[in-house]
Amino acid sequence: MNQFFIQSAFNVLKNGLQVKENEQVLIVADDQQQSSLVDAFVTAGSLLGAKVGKLVYPAVPQQNKEPMGFVGESLKAVEAAVVLPKVSITHVEAIRQARKHGTRFLVCSGLDERMMTGAVNADYQKMSQLTNRFVQLFEAADQVRVTCPNGTDVTFSVRGRATMAVDGICTEAGAWNFAPAGTTATAPLEGTTNGTIVFDGSLAPFGVVDEPVRLTVKDGLIREIAGGRTAADFAELLQSYEDPNVYNIAEMGIGTNEKAELSGKLIEDERILGAFHFGIGKSLNIGGEVDAPFHTDGMIMKPSVYVDGKLVVEAGKILYGE
């Protein structure tokens, strides 16, 4: 087994999930994930003195589809869990309900061995400080505007909404965080998002877009999708749910991890320093009020971001805090 992966997993469990001796910890993955990665986390948890179990389940057919029932029941039965499937289940009810039971989570959906040598090993203190500065900024804000030469020009309100610091640190019962870390997560107020969003980085579950995906948004909902093959496939996917809530603008955040690179996997792409992501569909897990059978995210690579009229990110360069 690769000792470097074990060391990286050890650091994540010790400093992020903060696993304790004799604590019950479950490592959960689907049958498409690399077994060497799963076993590295199992070994790392054992080295920390935890009582570690491993659960491998059949991969869900689409991201954020509910896994088999035994997954959710198992997650409720432990104190802490690491979720690292290849096909994301980040926004499923199984995790939401287990959190209500007190299980704390480190979510690593889509994590691969390459990320263990890069984004996972960022300077966590520096990243956490920057991430939490943006949390404070957004939690005190009302209006946010995002623009980009790619055609993005969209405004929305975050007034009164809590903002999550995705800094990898997860200590309290029922809390969750992520690895790799390095972004914020906020649900815009329902019905307030208006304008144009253009994803020019990646869009899950399709990976890096073939050409920019243009969304026309009015009163919080996507009204039109345009672009190339990725756009057509995305429109078809949303239509297949036959539920208007999948068109909801559910989430927004700014990347704060200087080691993250565009990979086509949202677990890393959302962390890219200065990049901006929008989530679509279900927002219940991130403080919003919209339930939907689907959640996904897309990336704007070089945005300019205005918070209550103040420019805080310019063409992907972070100005806030300088």
Side-chain angles (χ1 to χ4, degrees):
M1 188 180 297
N2 189 305
Q3 294 300 311
F4 182 84
F5 294 151
I6 294 173
Q7 184 61 52
S8 294
F10 184 92
N11 289 336
V12 167
L13 295 184
K14 180 181 179 181
N15 300 313
L17 194 58
Q18 300 194 9
V19 169
K20 304 172 185 65
E21 189 172 359
N22 292 320
E23 191 169 38
Q24 296 180 41
V25 179
L26 185 62
I27 311 299
V28 179
D30 61 27
D31 56 7
Q32 293 185 18
Q33 182 56 278
Q34 297 163 291
S35 59
S36 58
L37 190 59
V38 179
D39 291 340
F41 276 88
V42 173
T43 300
S46 297
L47 290 172
L48 285 164
K51 298 176 179 177
V52 185
K54 179 173 73 172
L55 188 157
V56 178
Y57 63 91
V60 296
Q62 291 180 335
Q63 68 176 38
N64 294 313
K65 286 279 190 180
E66 292 293 327
M68 299 176 71
F70 68 82
V71 177
E73 292 305 312
S74 299
L75 290 172
K76 291 177 184 177
V78 295
E79 295 163 273
V82 177
V83 179
L84 63 156
K86 186 172 182 179
V87 183
S88 175
I89 58 167
T90 301
H91 293 278
V92 298
E93 281 298 302
I95 290 178
R96 185 165 175 261
Q97 294 303 321
R99 290 179 60 204
K100 287 185 175 181
H101 274 73
T103 305
R104 73 183 192 281
F105 281 88
L106 191 67
V107 179
C108 314
S109 296
L111 183 68
D112 60 26
E113 291 183 344
R114 182 192 58 79
M115 294 179 206
M116 296 289 277
T117 66
V120 169
N121 281 319
D123 183 333
Y124 270 69
Q125 182 177 1
K126 179 180 179 182
M127 179 176 61
S128 181
Q129 290 175 346
L130 178 58
T131 304
N132 280 281
R133 285 208 303 269
F134 273 104
V135 167
Q136 294 171 7
L137 177 69
F138 289 134
E139 289 192 338
D142 181 2
Q143 293 292 319
V144 179
R145 181 187 180 198
V146 182
T147 68
C148 185
N150 69 12
T152 296
D153 193 344
V154 61
T155 60
F156 52 91
S157 176
V158 292
R159 181 169 43 189
R161 281 281 157 88
T163 300
M164 179 182 180
V166 182
D167 58 3
I169 299 171
C170 184
T171 59
E172 298 181 2
W176 67 340
N177 221 296
F178 297 80
T183 189
T184 60
T186 307
L189 287 175
E190 289 73 21
T192 66
T193 307
N194 288 281
T196 302
I197 297 170
V198 182
F199 295 138
D200 56 6
S202 59
L203 173 60
F206 308 104
V208 177
V209 300
D210 65 331
E211 61 181 83
V213 176
R214 184 184 183 91
L215 310 179
T216 302
V217 181
K218 183 178 180 181
D219 298 333
L221 297 174
I222 298 169
R223 308 292 180 169
E224 184 179 344
I225 302 172
R229 181 72 260 166
T230 303
D233 289 345
F234 184 52
E236 183 178 354
L237 176 61
L238 294 184
Q239 188 176 20
S240 72
Y241 286 97
E242 298 182 342
D243 185 329
N245 285 349
V246 300
Y247 295 92
N248 173 57
I249 302 301
E251 179 184 356
M252 71 92 189
I254 186 79
T256 58
N257 186 326
E258 61 187 5
K259 286 194 174 183
E261 301 176 349
L262 184 66
S263 65
K265 296 182 177 182
L266 267 298
I267 190 69
E268 180 174 21
D269 295 351
E270 287 182 347
R271 282 67 171 148
I272 295 170
L273 186 67
F276 202 92
H277 76 267
F278 279 101
I280 297 162
K282 184 175 183 176
S283 65
L284 285 181
N285 287 349
I286 47 177
E289 299 177 356
V290 175
D291 195 7
F294 180 71
H295 178 101
T296 195
D297 303 83
M299 297 302 306
I300 303 168
M301 299 306 298
K302 298 290 184 181
S304 292
V305 182
Y306 301 81
V307 177
D308 289 333
K310 179 182 179 181
L311 181 64
V312 297
V313 178
E314 184 175 19
K317 176 179 171 53
I318 291 176
L319 307 179
Y320 180 62
E322 292 189 342

